[in-house]
Amino acid sequence: MAVDYTVIVVYLAGMLAMGWWGMRRAKSKSEFLVAGRRLGPAMYSGTMAAIVLGGASTIGGVGLGYQYGLSGAWMVFTIGLGLLALSVFFSARIARLKVYTVSEMLDLRYGGRAGVISGVVMWAYTLMLAVTSTIAYATIFDVLFDMNRTVAIVLGGSIVVAYSTLGGMWSITLTDMVQFVVKTIGVLLLLLPIAVVKAGGFSEMKAKLPTEYFDPLGIGGETIFTYVLIYTFGMLIGQDIWQRVFTARSDRTAKWGGTVAGTYCLAYALAGAVIGTAAKVLYPKLGSPDDAFATIVKDELPVGVRGLVLAAALAAVMSTSSGALIACATVANNDIWSRLRGAVRRGEGGEAAHDEVSGNRAFILLMGVAVIGTAIALNNVVEALTVAYNLLVAGLLVPILGGLLWKRGTVQGALASVIVGGLAVIGLMAGYGILANEPVYLGLSASLVAYVAVSLATKPTDAAVLATWRERLAGRTPELASEPVPAHQ
């Protein structure tokens, strides 16, 4: 394993070095949080694909292929569909808004009073997303070094926190590009063909496995529908995804670069399912489907290649973890803390100047420590991820898409939608169980009803607010100040 260890150590050292290099470029809030809004098509596509294809998409995607065959691709496939929908229909408009967070978009659209509540929901989602990614380090480092779970989480988490804190989005962008290349080589170009050959080719796989393993809908229609609802729609509204859209240097880059990344995700989904299906032929009685990735890598790949593929798995986890971490810190600082601090200082009659880069850097460090601590205390990754996406979709999908598509939506309707949808999904998860489908179905329905009913029952959004909103969508006004948009009376 010495060669494999060397590959991993060099990779990790490279991540830290890029964090240090990124620190030299992140001199302003825009540079630190959204890479100066300067990414071109190639870098934008690579980093967008890197953030959405994390440990769940790699290790979990192979596990679903092991359990269900080719239809196990649906989870990652719906992520790709969501990214395609975001890129084709919404990303150009989102990029032109020149904001930093989803809550700033809601303030701009509705008139300045939706930010803190929506920020709390988005913060909870990004925190749980970062936690679930951080927990995955335990699996990878256990395969690599037979390492204690807590030590593995602290080691992997600390590396991500270090390079993210140093250079913000510039460091994350540079590391994500490396991670994208490593994932492409390790999973698509090496593990996929080797796994198929080791399993005897597709004809041997079909001969040894039940026919349902090759049924595109074998995983079940209800499961596919739930994946679409949670992951496809989740891609449309997540702060971690929007923050990458904000890095595009033009709306054209956001649209076409995202389309390329979404198409790449579809190929990655199929690759994971095929690898898992091959693992089922080679190891028909594994204790857990999620062991399929580590087992086939450990037992079937040659020295050196094994290290590169494990680095690919580590890259998948790190890209999602760092993206969720900076999103969590951005929301905590800009949508919650800055607004509360601003309200207090306005009450005291003044506003003190502060270093925005240092403030955001401090929040990444603080949120990173919180993420590592929560990951150590938490065991069930699937439940944590389900809670995160249920809250996101039930609480924020309707007011965000409603704001983009329906001019009659009001701030009262948006707030009612966030509160009713969020509380409903929490209560329903307590009643039906966290992993049940009903909470997100019913919570989203309650959110939609509240949004439409309250919007129609309240005064339409001020014409001046909508005029400013249309100007921003057209890209004709300067970017938002750090303070929330004032409410129009």
Side-chain angles (χ1 to χ4, degrees):
M1 293 286 287
V3 175
D4 297 324
Y5 291 162
T6 301
V7 171
I8 298 296
V9 170
V10 169
Y11 168 76
L12 293 176
M15 295 300 99
L16 290 173
M18 288 189 178
W20 184 262
W21 188 86
M23 182 176 67
R24 299 170 60 187
R25 301 199 63 168
K27 301 299 185 183
S28 68
K29 179 180 178 180
S30 177
E31 295 281 353
F32 192 81
L33 294 182
V34 290
R37 307 188 196 275
R38 288 192 292 170
L39 298 193
M43 187 167 281
Y44 178 86
S45 298
T47 58
M48 183 62 88
I51 188 176
V52 300
L53 296 173
S57 300
T58 304
I59 299 170
V62 171
L64 287 171
Y66 182 89
Q67 191 171 2
Y68 297 105
L70 297 186
S71 67
W74 272 106
M75 183 186 78
V76 183
F77 201 82
T78 56
I79 290 173
L81 290 178
L83 187 51
L84 284 171
L86 173 71
S87 301
V88 172
F89 299 112
F90 299 109
S91 63
R93 285 187 284 175
I94 292 170
R96 287 195 293 266
L97 289 174
K98 299 291 190 243
V99 295
Y100 291 102
T101 68
V102 173
S103 293
E104 286 183 11
M105 167 265 170
L106 292 173
D107 276 354
L108 184 64
R109 165 61 181 82
Y110 293 111
R113 289 172 289 185
V116 174
I117 294 176
S118 61
V120 169
V121 175
M122 189 63 78
W123 174 79
Y125 156 72
T126 53
L127 179 71
M128 283 294 99
L129 187 62
V131 165
T132 55
S133 300
T134 303
I135 291 173
Y137 295 127
T139 302
I140 298 170
F141 282 113
D142 179 56
V143 174
L144 283 169
F145 307 116
D146 192 24
M147 187 178 289
N148 174 270
R149 177 182 183 275
T150 299
V151 175
I153 289 172
V154 171
L155 176 61
S158 296
I159 292 170
V160 170
V161 172
Y163 72 69
S164 300
T165 301
L166 286 172
M169 187 59 82
W170 267 123
S171 294
I172 292 171
T173 296
L174 295 170
T175 54
D176 276 359
M177 275 307 296
V178 174
Q179 289 158 358
F180 171 73
V181 172
V182 170
K183 277 192 285 192
T184 301
I185 295 172
V187 175
L188 295 183
L189 302 184
L190 293 176
L191 182 57
L192 174 61
I194 290 173
V196 172
V197 170
K198 292 282 187 178
F202 286 105
S203 58
E204 188 70 15
M205 290 162 64
K206 286 186 176 181
K208 289 187 175 181
L209 294 173
T211 54
E212 56 263 28
Y213 264 71
F214 301 91
D215 179 0
L217 304 178
I219 199 170
E222 184 177 353
T223 298
I224 295 171
F225 178 74
T226 303
Y227 284 159
V228 169
L229 196 61
I230 292 177
Y231 297 114
T232 301
F233 285 112
M235 286 295 107
L236 298 180
I237 58 174
Q239 170 68 24
D240 52 324
I241 309 302
W242 277 40
Q243 200 155 343
R244 293 311 173 96
V245 175
F246 301 151
T247 66
R249 73 181 176 203
S250 68
D251 51 10
R252 182 178 176 83
T253 296
K255 182 175 181 178
W256 295 111
T259 301
V260 171
T263 305
Y264 177 90
C265 292
L266 303 184
Y268 200 89
L270 185 58
V274 171
I275 293 166
T277 304
K280 184 67 175 178
V281 173
L282 295 167
Y283 313 100
K285 295 183 179 180
L286 288 179
S288 167
D290 285 341
D291 293 336
F293 180 89
T295 303
I296 197 169
V297 169
K298 198 173 183 179
D299 294 350
E300 303 298 336
L301 298 186
V303 172
V305 173
R306 179 171 51 205
L308 184 59
V309 173
L310 286 172
L314 198 57
V317 175
M318 283 187 158
S319 56
T320 301
S321 180
S322 59
L325 176 59
I326 193 172
C328 179
T330 302
V331 170
N333 187 19
N334 291 266
D335 291 338
I336 301 174
W337 171 246
S338 291
R339 294 166 191 264
L340 296 176
R341 181 190 61 200
V344 170
R345 287 181 175 168
R346 281 191 297 272
E348 295 172 350
E351 180 69 39
H354 61 282
D355 184 342
E356 290 183 319
V357 172
S358 296
N360 282 292
R361 184 173 280 134
F363 263 86
I364 291 181
L365 181 59
L366 180 64
M367 291 299 106
V369 172
V371 164
I372 292 171
T374 307
I376 292 171
L378 206 61
N379 286 316
N380 197 314
V381 179
V382 175
E383 288 192 358
L385 195 62
T386 302
V387 169
Y389 273 98
N390 281 357
L391 270 174
L392 177 70
V393 172
L396 291 177
L397 178 66
V398 170
I400 291 172
L401 293 189
L404 289 168
L405 301 173
W406 190 42
K407 68 178 182 180
R408 184 60 181 82
T410 67
V411 66
Q412 294 89 348
L415 288 171
S417 179
V418 173
I419 294 169
V420 170
L423 292 178
V425 81
I426 291 170
L428 290 163
M429 283 191 292
Y432 283 97
I434 289 174
L435 298 179
N437 292 327
E438 289 84 357
V440 71
Y441 296 165
L442 299 176
L444 184 58
S445 299
S447 178
L448 177 60
V449 170
Y451 180 71
V452 174
V454 175
S455 290
L456 292 176
T458 52
K459 184 180 177 181
T461 303
D462 190 278
V465 173
L466 290 178
T468 301
W469 167 253
R470 286 191 291 269
E471 287 292 304
R472 290 295 287 273
L473 280 179
R476 290 194 289 264
T477 54
E479 83 180 60
L480 276 177
S482 57
E483 288 298 314
V485 178
H488 288 258
Q489 302 300 327

